[in-house]
Amino acid sequence: MTRRRLRFGLLTVAAGSLLVSCASGERTNEPASAALIIDIRIANGAVSPANTRTEAEVGQRIVLRVDSDTTDELHVHSAPAHTFSVAAASGQEFGFTVKVPGQVAVELHHLGRTVTTLLVRQ
């Protein structure tokens, strides 16, 4: 949790400017960011999506779900980089996280196409 979430909160009520201080002292376990799922379809030499921008967070699990009619390789240009072998099959899933903020290209090697650029923020 951040300090901001642990600080006392103030609530202004109506025009009377009544301030109510809120502090329970309890810490709750918030779930980690939900996985980001990107569906990719490769068919007849075309890829969808293509050249998109996708927002993500540092440490967020990213899952590429791929349906393809041909073999290829997905390259994730992060540090460290990730490479996934794509089969001519449906329902393939490839998961990873990005540890450094910035722009991360996800490309198909053989088709020479950018699927998406991840805009990874902290």
Side-chain angles (χ1 to χ4, degrees):
M1 281 196 189
T2 64
R3 288 184 189 172
R4 187 178 319 155
R5 291 182 184 152
L6 296 176
R7 292 182 185 161
F8 290 102
L10 296 177
L11 173 64
T12 303
V13 179
S17 296
L18 173 64
L19 298 178
V20 178
S21 178
C22 302
S24 66
E26 295 179 29
R27 293 183 182 197
T28 59
N29 292 329
E30 294 181 2
S33 297
L36 170 63
I37 298 172
I38 301 171
D39 291 314
I40 302 169
R41 180 169 169 73
I42 305 164
N44 301 318
V47 62
S48 176
N51 295 316
T52 63
R53 296 192 179 276
T54 306
E55 291 191 15
E57 295 179 11
V58 168
Q60 180 178 23
R61 180 153 175 78
I62 300 167
V63 177
L64 306 175
R65 290 194 308 205
V66 181
D67 292 333
S68 181
D69 66 356
T70 188
T71 60
D72 208 318
E73 284 185 351
L74 274 167
H75 291 183
V76 179
H77 295 278
S78 60
H82 303 280
T83 300
F84 303 106
S85 295
V86 175
S90 296
Q92 301 167 81
E93 289 192 359
F94 309 104
F96 61 96
T97 60
V98 176
K99 298 179 182 179
V100 179
Q103 294 187 20
V104 174
V106 178
E107 300 173 340
L108 281 164
H109 180 68
H110 299 299
L111 284 176
R113 304 246 169 64
T114 299
V115 175
T116 192
T117 299
L118 299 171
L119 306 174
V120 183
R121 65 181 187 281
Q122 284 195 313

